[in-house]
Amino acid sequence: MTRSAPIISVDAMGADHGPSIAVEGIGHILRRRPESQAKFLLHGDEAQIGPMLEQADALTRERTTLLHTDSEVRMTDKPSEAVRRSRGSSMWNSLVSVKNGEADVVVSAGNTGALMAISKVVLRMKKGVHRPAISASWPTPRGHTVVLDVGANVECGPSQLVEFAIMGEAFHRAVHGSSEPTVGLLNVGQEELKGNDTVRAADRLIRDAGIDFKYHGFVEGDDISLGITDVVVTDGFSGNIALKTAEGAVKLVGHWMRESFTSSLSAKIGAAFLSMGGLDHLRSKLDPRSINGGVLLGLNGMVVKSHGGTDSEGFATALGLGIDMAGSGFLTEIEANLARLIAAGEAQSQAAQ
């Protein structure tokens, strides 16, 4: 469906800090991107959200439609329980809006496991994909590297890693605008014999299946932040550790900066002068809110997962990612390569018989 303006379906009840971040986040993203004609379907409790909308600016009220439900998925709910009890909740209804074609993208800061499970039930998986993956956009000197999976699949087989490669490459092209993204497999070394059986088998499968993307080969952990490839593929266990390690390193650098610039009067004066130049730019680069939002790839629909503990500025970033997704064609871009992967798998099965 082609629209003149994207429609974003928002699970307003899932965040740690309540629905206010969703309402305020809409206001922030409309001010950040005044050229956007985006509209928002806000799913949640009218008794809580209604007064917030009344106090919001005129543009936020004009672009937002509130759809009431008093049911929500809690952060403590197990995915299996959430699926059974979630029908009619703000998370469920936000996904149904996309399934029914009423919206283009879902944005939720809710329970990650529940969102993954309910998305699979409501939107279903794309043909050729076994399980969804969560992607993260990693800032690098060259722009952004897409890393996946960062937590949805702790253990992965070779074909799953190749699925992630296909989805990550299409996502980078659609959202980050690269014409020919390069893809690498995360490994403990770049040599052909390094790594476990799964990673080496995925490498062989990519080379043998004739996948239509620019494959770099193996990359190491420090290559992610250097931007050696546009897409880095790994299992959710390693990817989540890498992501959390990077977030911790950013916080450490921020702590050292604050400590250095407040250590003496002269340091404070120097910081004041620096803030008029490059320091503010550096702060924005180190601000995790500026890259908030992971995408659930592999579904018959687009879903953006915001960090549950973010504030309204961070939620606005996730909404902006949703707007970018709505204007892209990445869902259709992955189908040809998935078909090649399926064909390669069938050929391998026949050869083994």
Side-chain angles (χ1 to χ4, degrees):
M1 180 183 298
T2 302
R3 305 182 197 273
S4 58
I7 299 178
I8 312 301
S9 181
V10 182
D11 169 20
M13 305 303 293
D16 292 349
H17 303 301
S20 63
I21 70 157
V23 176
E24 294 171 8
I26 290 172
H28 289 317
I29 195 59
L30 290 175
R31 287 188 290 274
R32 283 187 204 171
R33 300 172 67 162
E35 79 288 351
S36 172
Q37 299 299 310
K39 298 179 180 179
F40 303 89
L41 302 181
L42 207 54
H43 299 268
D45 184 2
E46 186 174 8
Q48 296 184 55
I49 301 173
M52 298 175 187
L53 271 178
E54 290 176 3
Q55 296 176 10
D57 61 83
L59 186 58
T60 299
R61 296 196 304 271
E62 176 189 332
R63 298 283 187 86
T64 304
T65 300
L66 176 57
L67 301 173
H68 171 70
T69 175
D70 55 10
S71 175
E72 63 183 275
V73 174
R74 297 167 299 185
M75 282 293 187
T76 55
D77 289 344
K78 294 181 179 179
S80 57
E81 296 173 354
V83 170
R84 289 196 301 269
R85 300 193 316 228
S86 66
R87 190 176 295 272
S89 67
S90 57
M91 184 178 288
W92 178 283
N93 290 354
S94 64
L95 289 160
V96 169
S97 289
V98 168
K99 178 185 178 183
N100 292 343
E102 300 160 350
D104 301 294
V105 186
V106 175
V107 178
S108 173
N111 181 321
T112 302
L115 181 63
M116 180 74 73
I118 297 169
S119 295
K120 289 174 64 178
V121 171
V122 175
L123 297 176
R124 304 293 183 182
M125 300 299 304
K126 212 166 214 3
K127 183 180 179 182
V129 179
H130 294 88
R131 293 192 66 186
I134 302 177
S135 70
S137 291
W138 216 286
T140 74
R142 298 175 56 238
H144 287 87
T145 290
V146 172
V147 183
L148 71 164
D149 181 23
V150 293
N153 304 275
V154 174
E155 295 181 356
C156 299
S159 62
Q160 269 188 287
L161 293 178
V162 182
E163 291 168 16
F164 296 168
I166 290 169
M167 295 187 293
E169 191 266 354
F171 174 75
H172 200 288
R173 185 187 359 252
V175 173
H176 295 299
S178 51
S179 59
E180 196 176 20
T182 53
V183 179
L185 280 174
L186 188 63
N187 201 351
V188 294
Q190 297 184 9
E191 296 84 357
E192 192 174 308
L193 297 178
K194 287 288 184 72
N196 57 32
D197 292 341
T198 300
V199 173
R200 293 200 303 270
D203 174 71
R204 290 193 299 272
L205 183 54
I206 290 175
R207 297 180 188 278
D208 295 344
I211 306 298
D212 185 21
F213 56 59
K214 193 172 181 180
Y215 180 54
H216 174 87
F218 294 140
V219 294
E220 299 181 68
D222 58 343
D223 293 331
I224 300 175
S225 295
L226 293 174
I228 299 300
T229 60
D230 298 304
V231 179
V232 173
V233 176
T234 186
D235 60 78
F237 183 84
S238 301
N240 190 266
I241 290 174
L243 178 66
K244 296 295 174 60
T245 301
E247 290 177 346
V250 168
K251 290 177 182 177
L252 178 61
V253 171
H255 169 75
W256 281 342
M257 286 176 60
R258 288 190 298 273
E259 189 177 68
S260 297
F261 289 133
T262 58
S263 59
S264 66
L265 178 59
S266 59
K268 292 177 182 178
I269 294 171
F273 280 107
L274 282 171
S275 67
M276 295 186 289
L279 185 57
D280 287 341
H281 179 69
L282 177 59
R283 282 180 179 143
S284 68
K285 288 284 189 183
L286 294 175
D287 189 347
R289 299 176 300 178
S290 66
I291 55 169
N292 178 52
V295 178
L296 274 61
L297 301 177
L299 300 161
N300 287 307
M302 295 182 281
V303 181
V304 176
K305 172 64 177 74
S306 166
H307 196 293
T310 194
D311 62 10
S312 56
E313 292 279 1
F315 196 78
T317 301
L319 292 172
L321 178 55
I323 292 170
D324 291 337
M325 295 280 290
S328 73
F330 99 96
L331 283 178
T332 57
E333 288 200 20
I334 67 173
E335 291 176 358
N337 274 331
L338 284 173
R340 289 188 180 92
L341 178 61
I342 293 169
E346 291 173 349
Q348 285 185 346
S349 297
Q350 291 174 0
Q353 291 177 357

